[in-house]
Amino acid sequence: MVERNLEYLKNISLNEIKGFGEKRISSFKKYGINSISDLIRFFPKKHIDRSQVSKIKSINSEIKKEITVLGEVKDVSVFTTKTRLRIATLIINDETGSIRAKWFGPQYIETRFKTGDSVALSGIPDVKKTGSIEFKNPTIEKFSDPEELNETGSLIPIYPKIDGLSSSIIRKGIKESLRRIPEFEDFLHKDDIVSYKIVNRTKSYNDIHFPEKLSDYENARNRLAFDEFLYLQAIFKEHKISYNKTQSGIKYKLKKDTLTNFEQKIPFKLTKSQKDVINEIFSDMNEESPMKRLLQGDVGSGKTIVAAAAIYATILSSYQAVLMAPTEVLAEQHYNSLSKILLFDDFKVHLLTSSVKERKEIMNTINSGDPAFIIGTHALIQENIKFNNLGLAIIDEQQRFGVQQRKKLTTDLKTTPDQLVMTATPIPRTTALAIYGDLDLSVIDELPPGRKPVKSFLYEGYKEDNEKIYKLCEEHIKNNSQVFVVCPFIEESETLDIKAAENVYKAYKKELPEYSIEILHGKMTSEEKEAVMRSMHKNETQILISTVVIEVGIDIPNATLMIIESAERFGLNQLHQLRGRVGRGEKESECVFHITEGKDLETITDEGKKRLLAIVDNLDGFKLAEIDLQIRGEGKVTGTSQSGISDLKIADLRYDYEILEKSKEYFENISDQIGKAVSNEAKILFPNFEDVEDTT
């Protein structure tokens, strides 16, 4: 029996499949499917279990699980409520009755389905007292003819939509492709397959598409996910080896008492977690190969002081350090806080932004190579800036920079500086292990002593809730505290019913006229923003209405109340970051998540509801990151893209931690021969292999 591998199948064109003409092949190619290898790795997004298909007449109020109904669309309609909530409704009939399916929000169901379409509808039925049946936000698939469901076993694979191709055509093409592979070459030894309790590749590729039972599908998915995690580790290992060989770094000679001396110079004690992370950084700096380390920690965990220790060690060793922040507000915040920390040993600290006035002096310092610390925004990567003695590059909130922007800071230098990548957005451990496999990971997993938990509340968008919020503001102000009010946009949108910052500002001025209220948004000049923040720091402003420019880095210890308007519109991590702007002082703090006016939990999207319930119940950023990953999915793993569907075809970072750990254990003990086979397949399946560095 002839064995085939992915490299062999990559060279077999789709036109060798019976029934595939130019039109069909063109449709496949638009979705990156160019060969049999690509086609068999076009995995189904779900299977419809024919044993769970119900006739409409049989549906009753006792059914609490997901079922599938096959029928014909009889009517399509769209209704917009007074609060601009869009509701699309389909009436679907089978030979026994009729059901109503509703979708809330801008899903544009009415553009994808029309009267007469044959569909499979899956969801949990809601049986009304009147006997009518509704499905809310169900999944729906179109079939050219329901009879095509009889072409296979009880589990029918449903594939992601490809324009011009039905699921039936895709299924037939995949079946034909699999028939051409009597045996799939397996780089795992038979003993390993038994030891790791996984199935062989031939069975996994057949059962992922056409399983006889769900357990066969799960076993196939686990094996293919195992392989994908091996591919990632091979990519990162090769990249790491290449990076260390080709990059000439700085070997510091930090003394054992460097950390002790640093701690003696700062006005507070470091936590054990902060000390552990600083020691990891110092150890990297003493190596010849350049440091590439990701530093992550929850809101308020003290990442800035860890960065300050690395800066201190760099300047002490006669090199320059630079910190690049995504916004001027955050850069200024870092400048203000780090200038106070690095007051010793005549350390020079400069702020370089597009609006800074002392530009000539700062440029002279950069060109001279004299030991100094420069904080800036994108202004740091302009073409006329050339560092001559850069020892450490810190990138804060790295996910906010474009790939090329991040790389530009450290390229074309005689020696590669150490890199410390910081993020205040907690990343689940599973994701960090996969996405940042070519970086060393440091986590600050404890908060400084004295930080009090922020009490969180969810208010709906009714008049009485608005009145409660105004009273809450007064309570905090009477306690000589300050208030943040955050809105997603600064102008009303015709398509989104979001409170605009300018309208909220007017409302607060009207309801609380006796208090000092200011507004802050991205369209203001740097001077205007600076004046507003200075007023807030001095406690001259009692209520600050703002857009998300205050999401990270703003430190007002006297702010004890955060109100987030249209909270259902924010991402979960963003909500957590905003909440982290209060509770930074000694007073008790509160955060209110306020749903858009006129709405409640039942009228917002399911995702919005899940996010709000999660944020109110959880203060742990890492736990929230796990929940967020489950809600929205994971983004790209390799290459330059930072959003969208993962380029992992089958592995899922939300749920596959055990498989990831198992694959890491196997990879650490892999033979050179198997390692080479894995690496070769990784290059075939990840054509952007050379771009992996861009994940950093």
Side-chain angles (χ1 to χ4, degrees):
M1 191 172 283
V2 179
E3 290 187 347
R4 305 296 192 197
N5 59 26
L6 290 175
E7 187 171 6
Y8 172 84
L9 297 172
K10 194 78 175 175
N11 295 319
I12 301 179
S13 171
L14 293 177
N15 57 25
E16 293 192 29
I17 297 176
K18 186 178 178 181
F20 273 27
E22 287 185 15
K23 191 173 180 181
R24 288 181 180 177
I25 291 172
S26 176
S27 295
F28 275 116
K29 285 185 175 180
K30 287 177 183 176
Y31 285 78
I33 301 171
N34 301 295
S35 66
I36 285 184
S37 172
D38 297 330
L39 186 57
I40 64 171
R41 284 184 57 77
F42 186 65
F43 299 123
K45 61 181 180 180
K46 63 180 283 189
H47 286 78
I48 289 180
D49 187 349
R50 282 201 302 159
S51 66
Q52 297 299 317
V53 173
S54 302
K55 296 295 183 183
I56 292 174
K57 187 177 179 180
S58 69
I59 300 173
N60 59 60
S61 58
E62 294 181 5
I63 297 175
K64 304 298 181 185
K65 64 179 181 179
E66 181 175 294
I67 60 171
T68 297
V69 171
L70 304 181
E72 183 179 312
V73 177
K74 289 297 181 183
D75 185 60
V76 181
S77 63
V78 181
F79 174 71
T80 303
T81 68
K82 289 181 180 179
T83 59
R84 298 182 186 171
L85 176 66
R86 213 167 174 281
I87 304 173
T89 303
L90 300 188
I91 305 296
I92 296 167
N93 290 9
D94 70 5
E95 66 272 21
T96 69
S98 176
I99 57 114
R100 188 182 302 270
K102 292 184 175 181
W103 288 265
F104 300 87
Q107 300 185 43
Y108 304 105
I109 291 292
E110 74 282 1
T111 65
R112 293 155 47 198
F113 298 91
K114 63 182 185 300
T115 302
D117 283 347
S118 296
V119 296
L121 190 83
S122 299
I124 300 173
D126 178 15
V127 181
K128 306 293 184 183
K129 290 180 180 179
T130 59
S132 64
I133 303 165
E134 274 191 9
F135 285 76
K136 293 180 180 177
N137 290 315
T139 58
I140 184 169
E141 298 289 338
K142 187 190 299 185
F143 292 93
S144 56
D145 184 343
E147 285 301 311
E148 75 178 62
L149 296 182
N150 296 319
E151 70 186 26
T152 183
S154 63
L155 291 168
I156 302 106
I158 304 299
Y159 294 92
K161 182 176 173 57
I162 293 181
D163 292 336
L165 298 172
S166 67
S167 278
S168 176
I169 291 171
I170 296 170
R171 281 195 289 273
K172 287 174 183 175
I174 289 172
K175 273 190 171 181
E176 173 65 23
S177 298
L178 290 171
R179 271 196 287 266
R180 298 177 67 104
I181 315 166
E183 192 76 19
F184 222 110
E185 186 177 300
D186 205 323
F187 47 63
L188 262 67
H189 192 274
K190 289 180 181 178
D191 292 343
D192 292 328
I193 289 173
V194 173
S195 175
Y196 282 87
K197 298 178 181 178
I198 50 182
V199 297
N200 66 51
R201 297 235 284 182
T202 304
K203 184 169 175 57
S204 67
Y205 272 102
N206 279 281
D207 286 355
I208 199 68
H209 294 285
F210 306 110
E212 290 185 11
K213 51 187 184 293
L214 282 175
S215 60
D216 290 339
Y217 169 80
E218 284 301 323
N219 289 335
R221 202 197 76 80
N222 290 349
R223 168 60 205 271
L224 295 171
F226 182 88
D227 286 358
E228 284 198 330
F229 286 135
L230 288 180
Y231 298 146
L232 285 183
Q233 289 164 80
I235 287 172
F236 290 133
K237 180 180 179 181
E238 188 160 321
H239 175 70
K240 220 168 190 178
I241 291 170
S242 173
Y243 183 81
N244 289 336
K245 279 182 179 178
T246 58
Q247 301 297 314
S248 173
I250 299 166
K251 184 177 173 63
Y252 291 79
K253 295 179 181 178
L254 302 180
K255 297 178 181 178
K256 290 183 178 180
D257 60 356
T258 303
L259 177 54
T260 304
N261 291 339
F262 173 73
E263 192 170 15
Q264 288 173 351
K265 293 173 182 289
I266 59 177
F268 46 82
K269 293 290 182 184
L270 298 171
T271 64
K272 181 183 181 300
S273 184
Q274 287 171 332
K275 289 181 182 179
D276 290 344
V277 170
I278 292 170
N279 279 323
E280 288 172 353
I281 291 170
F282 284 1
S283 177
D284 283 354
M285 293 174 77
N286 278 333
E287 295 292 329
E288 282 188 22
S289 56
M291 173 176 70
K292 288 184 74 175
R293 185 167 288 277
L294 171 68
L295 171 62
Q296 65 164 327
D298 207 346
V299 173
S301 60
K303 293 179 293 299
T304 302
I305 196 65
V306 170
I311 295 159
Y312 167 76
T314 303
I315 298 178
L316 205 64
S317 302
S318 300
Y319 292 99
Q320 292 182 345
V322 63
L323 186 153
M324 187 164 73
T327 66
E328 287 199 11
V329 171
L330 185 51
E332 288 163 5
Q333 180 71 36
H334 278 310
Y335 176 74
N336 292 331
S337 59
L338 287 167
S339 294
K340 293 171 185 174
I341 295 170
L342 299 169
L343 277 171
F344 36 84
D345 296 338
D346 295 325
F347 279 16
K348 294 179 180 177
V349 182
H350 299 284
L351 175 65
L352 181 63
T353 64
S354 57
S355 57
V356 74
K357 293 175 181 177
E358 300 82 16
R359 187 177 183 83
K360 188 174 180 181
E361 179 190 342
I362 299 170
M363 293 297 291
N364 287 338
T365 300
I366 291 173
N367 293 331
S368 71
D370 292 340
F373 173 42
I374 298 96
I375 303 168
T377 56
H378 303 80
L380 287 167
I381 52 176
Q382 292 175 357
E383 290 185 7
N384 60 336
I385 293 181
K386 182 78 171 178
F387 288 93
N388 293 319
N389 189 28
L390 187 59
L392 174 67
I394 302 172
I395 299 172
D396 192 24
E397 290 302 306
Q398 57 84 27
Q399 72 277 8
R400 294 186 168 218
F401 289 99
V403 167
Q404 298 305 322
Q405 290 173 327
R406 297 197 302 266
K407 290 177 71 174
K408 196 171 179 182
L409 187 61
T410 58
T411 52
D412 299 327
L413 302 178
K414 292 177 183 177
T415 55
T416 303
D418 289 329
Q419 295 178 53
L420 183 64
V421 178
M422 299 202 303
T423 178
T425 303
I427 303 167
R429 188 166 175 240
T430 50
T431 313
L433 282 170
I435 295 179
Y436 295 105
D438 61 333
L439 277 82
D440 295 305
L441 178 65
S442 287
V443 179
I444 305 176
D445 56 10
E446 65 177 315
L447 295 178
R451 290 215 52 163
K452 297 177 181 178
V454 178
K455 294 178 182 177
S456 299
F457 305 95
L458 178 60
Y459 285 11
E460 295 182 309
Y462 300 117
K463 185 178 179 182
E464 53 268 31
D465 292 293
N466 294 344
E467 291 170 353
K468 284 182 192 175
I469 288 174
Y470 293 132
K471 287 180 181 177
L472 196 57
C473 286
E474 288 191 279
E475 289 174 13
H476 280 260
I477 294 171
K478 285 175 181 176
N479 191 35
N480 195 32
S481 297
Q482 293 163 279
V483 178
F484 282 122
V485 182
V486 180
C487 313
F489 290 93
I490 50 173
E491 294 173 347
E492 287 289 359
S493 166
E494 293 180 3
T495 57
L496 298 173
D497 50 343
I498 298 173
K499 287 186 174 182
E502 290 174 348
N503 286 348
V504 173
Y505 173 69
K506 292 173 187 175
Y508 271 78
K509 293 285 278 186
K510 179 183 176 182
E511 296 294 332
L512 302 170
E514 66 271 37
Y515 299 115
S516 171
I517 305 173
E518 296 289 346
I519 186 168
L520 179 72
H521 58 71
K523 287 189 176 179
M524 297 167 67
T525 66
S526 298
E527 289 78 10
E528 289 171 332
K529 290 178 192 173
E530 193 176 331
V532 170
M533 289 312 301
R534 194 182 301 117
S535 175
M536 195 72 178
H537 277 287
K538 291 180 178 179
N539 198 10
E540 295 170 352
T541 296
Q542 294 165 306
I543 302 175
L544 179 62
I545 315 292
S546 174
T547 56
V548 291
V549 294
I550 66 152
E551 180 184 348
V552 291
I554 302 301
D555 189 13
I556 309 289
N558 194 48
T560 58
L561 176 61
M562 167 65 72
I563 298 161
I564 303 172
E565 296 287 354
S566 298
E568 76 277 11
R569 301 288 186 181
F570 289 89
L572 192 51
N573 278 328
Q574 205 172 27
L575 292 172
H576 183 56
Q577 295 298 324
L578 289 168
R579 178 170 58 188
R581 296 309 100 205
V582 296
R584 306 175 81 84
E586 297 177 356
K587 299 177 184 177
E588 295 280 352
S589 295
E590 297 177 310
C591 182
V592 174
F593 302 97
H594 191 201
I595 294 174
T596 299
E597 189 170 355
K599 287 189 176 184
D600 56 28
L601 271 177
E602 297 308 313
T603 57
I604 63 176
T605 65
D606 285 344
E607 281 196 11
K609 183 177 180 179
K610 287 176 184 176
R611 288 195 297 266
L612 291 179
L613 293 176
I615 193 71
V616 171
D617 290 341
N618 292 279
L619 289 172
D620 184 340
F622 287 94
K623 175 65 177 173
L624 287 170
E626 294 282 2
I627 295 170
D628 188 42
L629 196 58
Q630 291 176 19
I631 292 173
R632 65 179 172 80
E634 71 275 24
K636 286 276 186 182
V637 173
T638 61
T640 59
S641 178
Q642 296 181 60
S643 61
I645 299 171
S646 169
D647 53 3
L648 290 174
K649 299 289 186 186
I650 196 73
D652 192 323
L653 296 172
R654 294 172 289 182
Y655 311 114
D656 291 337
Y657 175 69
E658 289 184 9
I659 300 173
L660 174 58
E661 285 287 273
K662 190 188 290 187
S663 74
K664 285 176 71 68
E665 178 191 326
Y666 178 77
F667 191 78
E668 286 171 3
N669 300 301
I670 209 168
S671 69
D672 290 342
Q673 184 180 358
I674 295 175
K676 188 175 181 180
V678 173
S679 183
N680 286 340
E681 282 202 5
K683 291 176 183 178
I684 293 167
L685 297 176
F686 294 91
N688 49 0
F689 180 84
E690 297 303 325
D691 293 331
V692 174
E693 182 180 3
D694 293 335
T695 59
T696 64

